[in-house]
Amino acid sequence: MPQPAALLPQAPAAPGRVTCLDGLRGVAACAVVAFHFFYAFAPGRFADKARTGFSLFDTPFAVFWNGHFAVAVFFVLSGFVLAASAPLGPRAAPLAIGLRYLRLGVPALASSILAWAWLTGFPDAARDAQAISASPWFRWTYQPPIPPLGQAIWEGAVGVFLNGTTRFNNPLWTMQAEFLGSVLIYGSYAVLKGRARPLAMAAGLVGFAALGLFYLSAFCGGALVHEVRGRLRDHATAGAAAGVVGLILGATFPGHAGGDGLLPTLVSWLGADGARQAGAILTLIAVLITPPVRRFFETTPLQRLGELSFPIYLVHVPLIVAPASAIFAAFAPLSPVALAGLFIATGLTTLALGQLFLVTVERPLLAALRAVRKRGRARRLAAS
């Protein structure tokens, strides 16, 4: 946890958990839920790739429902956390990478099975909702006939890591990115020491962005922030400025229609991939160096939300494309008030199901992985 002193802690060999980032992750997970819900049932501005005029989608306030930016924040946070937990040498890297696969794959598998069950129970819901809302988002969800359970198991445990996509639970596309980013950070840190690490991460930040691999650039950016965090001093004004610039760059929705002149061109570029990752990195820095913001994200409700962030991310889409879509189709057309009510009900159900997922999948898995990691460390020490 960041200390109240002016200088943030200097990353000892076993650095403490930066708890404010858990709260940030929880808020980002909620933004993903809002994005998918409204993209499904009120696509409008979400699907408009050439917006004209000016709306909240063109402001930093869009951070509350910009799922693309939230995912960029996830990648940057993963880079930071992976750098903090990276293996100490090449001998430890294979176990660390294997455990990382299990950390991602077991929850992904469980959520894929859950999605199959919901889609099987409400096989026509997504198709009926799409016919009413005309949202292109539903094309990423299986329509009848729903594939068998075996395919859901394969796609959740293996397919998403090989192909980067699944139509059982479409947020699982990020599992491939998370695993490749993990291999990048763990592999680099296993062979690099000292000053070579920040130099390599800076090179990766720029190089992967130049290649269009912005998600890997985000991982490197997060790891780079981890490397330099000992030099980051608390500064509320600088932090606020970094946060505002980060939200303008990344949280703004891309696709605003460009026009003549520099300003319309810049506005149309905001929120695009490169700007989104840069905005996420600046947001991370802003949280770390702004004491009031840190304290906000360290509050008990947001810490609780942070603990639920991965379960929330994994379970919300099956709820949207199955029971929520069935309700939407049964009572369409929904008034704005009714749609808001459905959103609240979906959010509360997501929290409840996320809590169940936390207790039955997440916590037992984390405990098992800690035990395996401890035994592996003991064996390496015994062999050295």
Side-chain angles (χ1 to χ4, degrees), residues 213-234:
L213 299 173
F214 294 109
Y215 71 96
L216 292 179
S217 179
F219 275 87
C220 291
L224 180 61
V225 173
H226 173 269
E227 288 299 317
V228 304
R229 76 196 190 284
R231 302 178 183 179
L232 297 177
R233 298 181 180 273
D234 285 351

Side-chain angles (χ1 to χ4, degrees), residues 98-108 310 362 365-366 369:
L99 293 180
R100 182 62 176 169
Y101 169 74
L102 293 175
R103 171 70 184 97
L104 299 169
V106 173
F310 197 30
E362 186 85 342
L365 173 64
L366 291 176
L369 295 181

Side-chain angles (χ1 to χ4, degrees), residues 8-35:
L8 290 176
Q10 279 243 357
R17 190 178 186 89
V18 186
T19 55
C20 62
L21 302 186
D22 293 327
L24 177 60
R25 187 180 291 106
V27 171
C30 292
V32 174
V33 176
F35 170 71

Side-chain angles (χ1 to χ4, degrees), residues 113-207:
I113 294 173
L114 173 67
W116 174 85
W118 280 120
L119 288 173
T120 302
F122 298 86
D124 301 315
R127 181 178 58 192
D128 294 343
Q130 183 180 24
I132 297 167
S133 71
S135 173
W137 180 69
F138 283 105
R139 72 182 184 274
W140 299 109
T141 298
Y142 278 119
Q143 309 290 343
I146 306 300
L149 176 59
Q151 186 168 337
I153 293 173
W154 166 260
E155 291 188 15
V158 180
V160 291
F161 294 94
L162 297 177
N163 305 318
T165 185
T166 175
R167 291 172 63 196
F168 282 107
N169 189 11
N170 61 64
L172 292 184
W173 72 267
T174 58
M175 295 301 100
Q176 183 190 62
E178 284 282 351
F179 185 66
L180 292 177
S182 302
V183 173
L184 170 67
I185 301 300
Y186 278 175
S188 299
Y189 273 59
V191 298
L192 298 174
K193 306 296 181 184
R195 294 182 179 179
R197 287 178 172 180
L199 291 176
M201 293 303 103
L205 172 64
V206 176

